[in-house]
Amino acid sequence: MTQQQQLLFACIENCCYFKLSGELRYTNASGMDDLVERLFTSKLNCQQLVVDLNDVSFMDSTYIGLLASLARFCQQQQLPRPTLFSTNSDVNELLYSLCLEQAFDIVQQATSAAVELSAVSAQHYSEQQHGQMILRAHQALIALNDKNKAAFQPVVDLLKQQLK
């Protein structure tokens, strides 16, 4: 049985909290993508970002790219590095294999946030919008370092061709 994906979010005193759970795949990433876009267009006033991945069972490269986008937002805004909580060894292995520790402070412990979080619904994306989201996520991933660039550049090139 696959665990239902869920995205919870709150922005409290200029700190944005993301709590993700379940299987995070490109097919259910539109809500997260929309939040990332709202961050970049300054519709959310975030001075600090906290991401809780403790209840995540699986994450694909698109979702990791969306996380990389959050880190890029913090760099561009000259904010502190985002904090990422994750106690799942499989997820942590993936995060470290894609060098996310270069962009995040990864804390391997449980969270006990007494924060009121709201569920974020998936957005209704067209096939073109879905493709653009996957492309942006992978571009953020390859922007992290050369190892990721070598691994994901072919994906980015293929997506660019398909989206023309």
Side-chain angles (χ1 to χ4, degrees):
M1 192 181 110
T2 58
Q3 188 184 2
Q4 184 64 37
Q5 178 265 346
Q6 191 176 20
L7 167 57
L8 300 172
F9 177 78
C11 193
I12 298 163
E13 295 174 8
N14 299 335
C15 182
C16 288
Y17 297 90
F18 296 80
K19 179 158 181 56
L20 305 168
S21 59
E23 292 189 5
L24 307 179
R25 299 179 188 276
Y26 74 93
T27 51
N28 58 27
S30 60
M32 181 69 173
D33 183 59
D34 184 60
L35 268 180
V36 170
E37 287 302 300
R38 290 190 355 228
L39 263 180
F40 277 103
T41 56
S42 303
K43 292 189 178 123
L44 299 169
N45 184 16
C46 288
Q47 300 301 312
Q48 188 178 7
L49 270 74
V50 176
V51 182
D52 183 345
L53 300 177
N54 283 325
D55 297 331
V56 170
S57 56
F58 173 85
M59 202 178 331
D60 71 8
S61 57
T62 297
Y63 241 101
I64 292 181
L66 290 170
L67 292 178
S69 297
L70 290 177
R72 202 168 74 201
F73 168 79
C74 289
Q75 289 165 347
Q76 287 175 355
Q77 300 298 315
Q78 297 176 328
L79 299 174
R81 281 168 33 134
T83 304
L84 207 146
F85 287 89
S86 177
T87 53
N88 181 322
S89 58
D90 291 341
V91 170
N92 290 343
E93 196 175 311
L94 187 60
L95 296 174
Y96 283 100
S97 75
L98 294 170
C99 306
L100 260 71
E101 78 281 359
Q102 295 173 358
F104 286 88
D105 291 327
I106 298 177
V107 181
Q108 295 184 36
Q109 66 184 40
T111 53
S112 58
V115 178
E116 271 299 307
L117 298 164
S118 302
V120 175
S121 302
Q123 301 298 306
H124 294 289
Y125 276 18
S126 67
E127 206 170 304
Q128 181 74 16
Q129 288 172 304
H130 233 100
Q132 293 287 350
M133 170 193 72
I134 296 167
L135 176 61
R136 281 193 308 273
H138 284 81
Q139 286 171 325
L141 206 50
I142 66 175
L144 280 178
N145 60 49
D146 290 339
K147 192 178 117 196
N148 288 355
K149 187 175 172 76
F152 294 105
Q153 189 65 54
V155 176
V156 167
D157 294 342
L158 182 66
L159 283 166
K160 281 181 178 173
Q161 274 181 342
Q162 290 178 337
L163 290 169
K164 277 185 182 159

